[in-house]
């Protein structure tokens, strides 16, 4: 798991790299790889934040929350700047296609995540059933073992004492 603060630093460096490249780039197409890396960094940071919320992090919650929200706000502001850049170059239709594709990919990711969670839950239930079955079989085997020992001891007693109805 990546440290959330490191992930957020990655977002900030990616944003500054894209801003510097935008000043010298001829068209938006040449910025696409860097913009993609910035959004990749944002995705990694978001996942790191989710993991950090699940576990106990180091430092104060207020400090971490402040750093997280400031970095995410910077990413949101940059996304708005990027949208304006697409508008200024007359490519708002491309921006809309990008946002539509992102929304569809987010939906697909959520479906896949739900599917994985269901599969994990099903596997856990199956494992629980197998454990219960193993306990039942083990218990039955133990009881049968005790019954066989009892029968053997009774047969031995009858054979040695000759008082068992023969």
């Amino acid at each position: 798991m990546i440290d959330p603060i490191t992930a957020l630093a990655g977002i900030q460096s990616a944003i500054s790299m894209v801003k510097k490249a935008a000043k010298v780039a001829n068209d938006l197409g040449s910025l696409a790889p860097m913009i993609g890396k910035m959004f990749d960094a944002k995705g990694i940071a978001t996942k790191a934040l989710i993991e950090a919320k699940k576990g106990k992090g180091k430092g104060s919650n207020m400090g971490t929350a402040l750093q997280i929200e400031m970095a995410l706000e910077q990413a949101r502001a940059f996304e708005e700047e990027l949208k304006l850049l697409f508008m200024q170059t007359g490519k708002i239709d491309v921006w809309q296609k990008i946002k539509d594709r992102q929304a569809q990919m987010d939906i697909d990711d959520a479906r896949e995540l739900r599917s994985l969670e269901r599969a994990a839950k099903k596997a856990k239930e199956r494992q629980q059933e197998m454990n219960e079955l193993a306990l039942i079989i083990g218990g039955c085997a133990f009881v049968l073992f005790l019954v066989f020992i009892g029968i053997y001891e009774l047969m031995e007693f009858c054979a040695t004492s000759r008082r068992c109805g023969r």
Side-chain angles (χ1 to χ4, degrees), residues 104-160:
Q104 184 59 47
M105 291 171 78
D106 287 346
I107 290 169
D108 293 344
D109 287 349
R111 284 183 186 147
E112 184 178 345
L113 184 60
R114 280 193 304 272
S115 174
L116 290 172
E117 287 172 351
R118 277 193 301 264
K121 183 179 177 183
K122 204 177 258 189
K124 186 177 180 180
E125 288 173 356
R126 175 92 171 132
Q127 183 64 39
Q128 183 66 28
E129 288 174 5
M130 294 301 287
N131 290 345
E132 290 171 1
L133 183 61
L135 281 173
I136 291 169
I137 291 172
C140 289
F142 182 69
V143 169
L144 282 175
F145 177 70
L146 291 177
V147 168
F148 286 129
I149 288 176
I151 291 172
Y152 175 75
E153 289 295 321
L154 182 62
M155 296 288 282
E156 283 293 312
F157 175 76
C158 287
T160 57

Side-chain angles (χ1 to χ4, degrees), residues 22 28 31 80-91:
L28 290 174
L31 291 176
E80 284 299 314
E81 289 176 25
L82 193 59
K83 180 180 175 182
L84 288 174
L85 187 62
F86 273 90
M87 284 181 181
Q88 290 169 350
T89 58
K91 300 209 183 252

Side-chain angles (χ1 to χ4, degrees), residues 55-68:
K56 299 222 183 251
K58 295 178 182 172
S60 76
N61 288 337
M62 181 62 173
T64 303
L66 181 66
Q67 288 177 331
I68 289 168

Side-chain angles (χ1 to χ4, degrees), residues 5 12 22 88 97 114 164:
I5 305 303
Q12 292 170 338
Q88 290 169 350
K97 288 177 185 177
R114 280 193 304 272
C164 291

